Amino acid sequence: MSFSVCVVCSEQPAIVSRFVTYYLEQGAEQVFVYLDEGAPDPSLPPDAKLKVVSCAELLESRGLSRRPQYIEEVQITAYGHAFETFSAEWLLVCDIDEFVACPGRITDRLSQLPADWQFAILPVAEAVWGPGDPKFEPFGCSYFRTKAHKGLGRAQSRILYGQNGRFLVAGLVGHCFGKYFVRKDAPVTSLGIHRPESAAPLKGGATHDIRATSELFLYHFDAISYDRWHTKWLGRLEKTRDSNAFQFNKGTQLYIQAFERAQDPEARKRLFSSLYEINKRQARFLTLVGQLRRKHLWENSPDARRLIDKGAFKG
């Protein structure tokens, strides 16, 4: 059972290389990288399986002379292009900081999905630094928290993380919706951010609903490092000052306000630590309720591990 992967990004070359390297090592038949800004970097692995596409050129070829206001529109256009051209049996739609992993090979797990499934949703496991991890080292997390049990997320987050627990949704800081694989012959009308769209209901479900694929997870590095987190939220703060910019939802607005109030560097580091670092007590509790996974993600990806060891990732 073969798969390809597609991603839209505007990232440091080393981070793009790490993503490409990881998925090639995991057996991807093709890796489609849609660059939202800039040109292909020569440091990307020279591999025939790698397809690098300029988003600007793609949009122009689709008759869009101006870039859409929202990145989601760019993503949907790029995913549609990948779906039209990929040659494997499944296409993985994900972000540049997301890595699918499982015991064994991804291709073996895909072969164990029901034969009539046209898509498969991957549950999220969100990277956090925990006991024994190199503190805030980029991609250095070995703890991954999963979605809180229904109805318990808000109360549980307040207990575990104090006042800043209000920024978590279903026990996670980043998205809790997952990403997905879609089968090549699925009658889709478009590929959305978190699931495929179709005129008629598609057959599919979540990988954790099938015993043979229950260990197939999307490992999400929502915060690769403190400096990258700080840059991202500084950008979002600037957008809130632009009346013509995208309006964030209420939860994100509260998060931005807390970021703005934490004026000095130490206060912002404490905010970051409260959201992306867990202590022994928090780790024990999350383990007890089945919401924490321990995984050394790079053990089966030696080339990606070497990129990290070389310090290729800037803060």
Side-chain angles (χ1 to χ4, degrees):
M1 189 67 68
S2 59
F3 77 97
S4 296
V5 57
C6 65
V7 67
V8 177
C9 65
S10 174
E11 266 297 355
Q12 295 177 13
I15 289 179
V16 180
S17 292
R18 174 263 308 154
F19 178 92
V20 172
T21 298
Y22 177 84
Y23 280 107
L24 289 177
E25 287 185 318
Q26 300 310 307
E29 189 169 290
Q30 296 163 299
V31 178
F32 293 88
V33 175
Y34 293 88
L35 294 177
D36 196 26
E37 294 179 9
D41 188 90
S43 68
L44 288 174
D47 196 295
K49 297 177 180 180
L50 173 61
K51 314 294 180 184
V52 181
V53 180
S54 162
C55 285
E57 293 177 6
L58 174 62
L59 293 169
E60 185 177 354
S61 73
R62 298 296 171 101
L64 298 172
S65 56
R66 297 180 60 184
R67 186 186 185 283
Q69 182 180 4
Y70 304 132
I71 182 61
E72 289 81 3
E73 296 177 59
V74 178
Q75 290 174 301
I76 290 170
T77 301
Y79 299 158
H81 178 264
F83 188 73
E84 292 168 6
T85 55
F86 86 107
S87 58
E89 294 164 273
W90 292 90
L91 178 66
L92 168 64
V93 174
C94 65
D95 289 338
I96 199 73
D97 55 5
E98 295 172 338
F99 303 86
V100 175
C102 60
R105 304 289 289 177
I106 295 172
T107 51
D108 293 338
R109 297 293 175 175
L110 290 174
S111 68
Q112 295 173 309
L113 289 171
D116 61 345
W117 273 25
Q118 296 164 311
F119 73 96
I121 302 293
L122 295 155
V124 179
E126 181 177 76
V128 290
W129 286 270
D133 284 343
K135 190 177 177 71
F136 303 157
E137 176 187 301
F139 296 110
C141 306
S142 67
Y143 294 84
F144 296 84
R145 58 189 169 200
T146 55
K147 188 175 179 180
H149 300 305
K150 189 174 182 179
L152 297 178
R154 180 174 298 180
Q156 178 180 298
S157 293
R158 286 299 187 103
I159 294 170
L160 280 175
Y161 309 110
Q163 184 180 6
N164 291 338
R166 69 189 189 278
F167 302 130
L168 281 72
V169 176
L172 304 176
V173 179
H175 70 84
C176 58
F177 304 110
K179 294 297 172 64
Y180 61 92
F181 283 98
V182 59
R183 201 184 286 270
K184 187 170 182 60
D185 59 2
V188 302
T189 53
S190 68
L191 298 186
I193 308 304
H194 297 289
R195 63 184 57 230
E197 304 294 337
S198 178
L202 294 172
K203 181 73 174 178
T207 57
H208 60 65
D209 290 336
I210 307 297
R211 183 174 182 180
T213 61
S214 61
E215 289 297 308
L216 197 59
F217 272 83
L218 183 83
Y219 291 89
H220 180 203
F221 288 81
D222 187 59
I224 293 173
S225 69
Y226 169 76
D227 287 340
R228 293 185 57 74
W229 170 86
H230 187 268
T231 299
K232 178 173 76 173
W233 286 94
L234 203 58
R236 291 184 175 181
L237 175 60
E238 290 302 317
K239 285 184 179 180
T240 64
R241 296 167 177 166
D242 179 359
S243 59
N244 296 317
F246 175 75
Q247 298 299 305
F248 294 104
N249 63 43
K250 185 177 179 180
T252 303
Q253 289 176 24
L254 290 173
Y255 194 156
I256 293 172
Q257 289 167 13
F259 179 85
E260 185 175 22
R261 286 195 300 271
Q263 293 286 336
D264 67 276
E266 290 305 312
R268 286 187 175 169
K269 286 181 180 178
R270 287 194 296 272
L271 174 62
F272 177 79
S273 179
S274 72
L275 298 174
Y276 293 105
E277 183 180 21
I278 58 172
N279 57 33
K280 290 181 179 180
R281 178 186 64 83
Q282 293 165 325
R284 282 196 298 268
F285 178 87
L286 290 171
T287 300
L288 182 65
V289 296
Q291 294 169 24
L292 190 67
R293 305 176 67 80
R294 188 87 191 269
K295 188 167 184 68
H296 298 279
L297 193 62
W298 314 113
E299 286 182 343
N300 295 322
S301 184
D303 287 341
R305 175 71 257 179
R306 278 192 288 273
L307 284 173
I308 296 168
D309 290 341
K310 287 178 182 177
F313 305 106
K314 298 175 183 178

